[in-house]
Amino acid sequence: GGDGAKSALETAKDRLRASQELLALLASAGGSGSGSSSSRRKEGKRGGSGGGSAPSSYAHPELPIDFFEHQRTITPQVTFGGDILTSHTPDVVKARLANSDECIVSPSKEATTLTIASPSADMLITGVRVFVGAAAEDRIPRTLQLGERTLSLRGSTRRWYDMPLTDGEVLANGSEISLVIGPSFGHDNTSVVDTVEVYGKTKKEFGYVRKLAKWKTESRALGELERSISRTARSAGEALAGFFAAAARVPDAEGSEEEA
């Protein structure tokens, strides 16, 4: 009767409380893992915005200020492709982007994709630098997206934009990556890009085997954490449903005792 319903309610409360505590513990473990990794990178670094496909330790990249000084310039060896080929051949695109007096013009007012492929699978793309505003300040693109990372540009400002890739982003993209050129600040005009410089490292220089193994380990750990949180969340939902079911039975049982 009433005692049984009350006992069920207390059991449901205990189960719900335990589920809540486990959820909080898992959330804390996930936060402390990424936080400690981030704190190790802070001194003498500069930040950027992260890539969605990389592990948590690469979510908020903070890279050395002299990053590009330690990379190879591979622009003459890369192959350009994508939407831009509707208005230019690959050779013309490369020549225009290498010439300080020329530029490339987006074939449409919407976003345009410029694919960049390194000369071989052994050469990894580690970063890109883009120069805008020299040919037409009113046709600077609003955004540049390299891989999964988007960078907001300034209108009417002639300047270089550095887009270094984290280890996780390099591993995810390998020897080919896409640069998406957004619509221009001038709504009635297509976007213009003056220069694109591409940087890379060989797999040996990058430490590909070691970093890939580390990345896979972190990815597995993150996946297991996410699965644990998912399982605990389901248990918490079941505990919550049990709590309300037990609570709903208590008044009925007490009412039956009074009538008796």
Side-chain angles (χ1 to χ4, degrees):
D3 291 340
K6 290 180 180 178
S7 177
L9 178 59
E10 291 303 317
T11 300
K13 283 182 179 179
D14 291 340
R15 186 181 175 195
L16 180 60
R17 188 179 303 111
S19 295
Q20 290 172 329
E21 290 174 355
L22 184 54
L23 273 173
L25 181 62
L26 286 170
S28 175
S32 62
S34 60
S36 61
S37 176
S38 174
S39 63
R40 288 193 295 268
R41 291 178 168 85
K42 285 185 179 179
E43 189 172 352
K45 309 289 184 179
R46 66 177 178 189
S49 56
S53 60
S56 60
S57 60
Y58 299 115
H60 302 286
E62 296 176 349
L63 301 168
I65 295 175
D66 60 349
F67 176 88
F68 286 101
E69 296 177 16
H70 302 283
Q71 315 300 312
R72 293 189 185 208
T73 303
I74 61 173
T75 313
Q77 290 81 45
V78 302
T79 301
F80 293 106
D83 301 337
I84 200 70
L85 297 187
T86 60
S87 56
H88 305 296
T89 65
D91 289 339
V92 169
V93 171
K94 181 181 290 189
R96 284 175 174 253
L97 290 175
N99 192 326
S100 59
D101 296 327
E102 295 189 89
C103 62
I104 58 169
V105 180
S106 172
S108 96
K109 294 180 181 179
E110 305 301 323
T112 298
T113 300
L114 177 70
T115 60
I116 306 169
S118 74
S120 72
D122 186 59
M123 181 63 71
L124 304 172
I125 295 174
T126 57
V128 173
R129 299 182 72 229
V130 181
F131 185 55
V132 297
E137 288 188 355
D138 61 336
R139 300 176 70 175
I140 293 173
R142 291 177 177 271
T143 59
L144 293 173
Q145 180 181 332
L146 186 65
E148 298 297 322
R149 193 195 311 183
T150 300
L151 182 67
S152 296
L153 277 57
R154 296 179 181 177
S156 303
T157 304
R158 173 179 172 172
R159 59 165 288 184
W160 283 96
Y161 287 92
D162 294 352
M163 304 183 77
L165 298 177
T166 64
D167 288 351
E169 290 169 329
V170 173
L171 291 168
N173 292 285
S175 58
E176 184 170 342
I177 198 167
S178 294
L179 176 67
V180 180
I181 302 166
S184 72
F185 281 94
H187 298 289
D188 296 329
N189 293 316
T190 53
S191 296
V192 171
V193 169
D194 297 283
T195 307
V196 173
E197 291 183 353
V198 186
Y199 294 80
K201 281 185 175 181
T202 64
K203 286 185 175 180
K204 182 178 180 180
E205 292 169 339
F206 179 74
Y208 182 82
V209 174
R210 174 179 56 82
K211 290 179 179 179
L212 181 61
K214 178 183 177 183
W215 190 36
K216 287 181 177 179
T217 300
E218 290 186 358
S219 296
R220 283 195 295 269
L222 179 60
E224 182 55 38
L225 177 61
E226 290 174 343
R227 286 190 291 273
S228 297
I229 292 175
S230 178
R231 288 194 297 267
T232 306
R234 285 197 300 270
S235 297
E238 294 169 359
L240 186 61
F243 170 77
F244 284 120
R249 288 195 296 270
V250 170
D252 294 338
E254 291 178 343
S256 298
E257 291 177 355
E258 291 177 358
E259 290 177 2

